[in-house]
Amino acid sequence: MGVSSELTKLMPLFVGCGCDGAKVSEIVTELKKRMKLRGDTGQIIRTEETLNEIKHLRADMHEMKSNMERIMAHLNVPTQEAIDR
């Protein structure tokens, strides 16, 4: 019994003489557990990167809003609140 993966597509790995099914199953279980852990960890890292990007975007939006308010004040453009009164 052999095990193949993306790394060993062309030639599967054989444990012992290739007929130690219990050992092969143990290795497959351990490798699948590691793959899941890497996948979960990768998802957490991607989520943290996305959160960091959102924080940067919020800061940029706040800065642009402040700049726009200063430009409007300089040009004497009334604010929406002043128009609504």
Side-chain angles (χ1 to χ4, degrees):
M1 176 183 261
V3 179
S4 62
S5 70
E6 286 296 317
L7 298 174
T8 62
K9 284 187 228 183
L10 301 176
M11 183 176 8
L13 300 172
F14 291 94
V15 179
C17 297
C19 50
D20 188 353
K23 188 68 171 172
V24 171
S25 294
E26 179 185 339
I27 292 170
V28 168
T29 301
E30 179 63 25
L31 290 175
K32 285 184 178 183
K33 189 170 30 171
R34 291 180 187 186
M35 286 171 50
K36 182 181 180 333
L37 179 63
R38 276 198 311 267
D40 292 347
T41 302
Q43 184 62 36
I44 290 168
I45 290 169
R46 286 187 294 276
T47 301
E48 289 172 346
E49 289 171 349
T50 301
L51 180 60
N52 196 25
E53 184 66 27
I54 289 170
K55 287 179 182 178
H56 284 26
L57 288 171
R58 283 184 174 172
D60 289 347
M61 289 293 294
H62 179 71
E63 183 180 350
M64 287 192 308
K65 182 180 178 189
S66 296
N67 290 342
M68 182 61 73
E69 288 171 350
R70 285 193 296 260
I71 291 169
M72 289 175 65
H74 177 75
L75 296 175
N76 296 319
V77 175
T79 63
Q80 186 64 40
E81 294 160 355
I83 294 171
D84 289 342
R85 289 185 204 165

